[in-house]
Amino acid sequence: MKPASPQALALAEIGGFLLDVALAGLLLLALIDRIAPPQDLAWKPFSIDQPLGLATEGKLARIGADPAACRAALRAGGIAPIDQPVREDGFCSTRDTVRAQSRLSPAAPVMTCPLALRYAVWERQVLEPAAQRLLDSRLARVEHLGTYACRTIYGRTGARPSQHAGASALDVSGVRLADGRRLTIAGDFRDPGPEGRFLRVARAGACELFGAVLGPDYNAAHADHLHVDLSPYRLCR
């Protein structure tokens, strides 16, 4: 039998090494799949009831791009979205909009399904836990100033369309707690106590979930509310 050449032996060693690396990688992947929380793994199913994690944004982006998947995710979280008529008016549109149950007041405003989905995560995984942790009370409702509005940014003639013109923005003015307290962006956002900390934590959590998040630190026009939207760029002020 002809002995193997040095080149063949070297290739065999390299092949064996690569096989060992591949097996180690598979074992590591299996270990990660078993012990890592689902919100950190892109291949794990999404749930509104999962805390924010490393894979949350990617999952929300993927699900939000599929109208059927978006509605399914809401229903899986116990939220029954009601589809709304599509109205087109120049640059304004209510395409892919729903009304969905939440703690928002006024209740169930018209908004795109992706916005409704991200809001649901924000309410459950940011607002409610922060209310209990910082204010020792449950979240009763989230007060807002509206979602859909057919207008440009700041209503200026010739300006680009507002995210509100596509029902992809929400203006939150404050919250009401189960113990009766009412916190407002206008009155409590800069408060050094727990009420102000809660509102600033709410903004920080929103910045992980929405595109642009604008509040009192941005300009005077946002002194009384947090504007959250689905802008393709990130801005947290």
Side-chain angles (χ1 to χ4, degrees):
M1 185 175 183
K2 189 176 181 179
S5 67
Q7 293 85 352
L9 290 173
L11 288 174
E13 288 182 6
I14 292 172
F17 173 74
L18 292 176
L19 180 59
D20 289 343
V21 170
L23 289 174
L26 289 173
L27 289 173
L28 178 60
L29 188 62
L31 179 63
I32 291 173
D33 183 76
R34 184 170 182 174
I35 66 174
Q39 61 268 22
D40 288 342
L41 302 177
W43 59 87
K44 291 283 189 175
F46 168 82
S47 171
I48 292 171
D49 293 318
Q50 293 170 355
L52 302 188
L54 298 175
T56 300
E57 173 55 34
K59 292 179 182 181
L60 285 170
R62 183 179 69 252
I63 294 169
D66 182 339
C70 182
R71 286 156 176 77
L74 287 170
R75 287 192 292 269
I79 300 169
I82 301 173
D83 286 341
Q84 297 301 294
V86 176
R87 288 190 286 269
E88 306 284 352
D89 181 11
F91 58 75
C92 300
S93 173
T94 59
R95 187 176 300 278
D96 191 23
T97 54
V98 299
R99 291 185 185 271
Q101 310 102 313
S102 67
R103 291 185 176 92
L104 282 171
S105 177
V110 174
M111 62 175 74
T112 63
C113 188
L115 181 64
L117 183 61
R118 288 174 183 262
Y119 170 79
V121 176
W122 186 47
E123 182 184 284
R124 292 192 189 183
Q125 304 306 327
V126 178
L127 300 183
E128 177 62 26
Q132 295 187 48
R133 184 177 73 254
L134 297 173
L135 303 171
D136 196 27
S137 183
R138 297 295 301 269
L139 183 71
R141 66 175 183 259
V142 178
E143 298 174 344
H144 71 95
L145 303 177
T147 52
Y148 176 73
C150 185
R151 62 173 177 82
T152 60
I153 292 178
Y154 301 118
R156 295 171 181 161
T157 302
R160 73 176 185 271
S162 166
Q163 287 284 316
H164 287 286
S168 293
L170 170 69
D171 290 340
V172 173
S173 58
V175 301
R176 181 81 68 172
L177 303 175
D179 63 12
R181 279 180 290 173
R182 180 172 180 259
L183 283 60
T184 67
I185 300 298
D188 300 296
F189 186 81
R190 301 192 190 283
D191 185 272
E195 288 81 5
R197 286 200 299 275
F198 167 83
L199 293 174
R200 293 188 293 275
V201 165
R203 179 185 62 180
C207 291
E208 296 186 48
L209 290 164
F210 301 99
V213 179
L214 310 176
D217 289 341
Y218 183 61
N219 61 16
H222 295 84
D224 63 350
H225 67 277
L226 286 180
H227 166 99
V228 302
D229 69 30
L230 299 185
S231 299
Y233 56 86
R234 292 281 182 172
L235 180 59
C236 179
R237 291 288 300 276

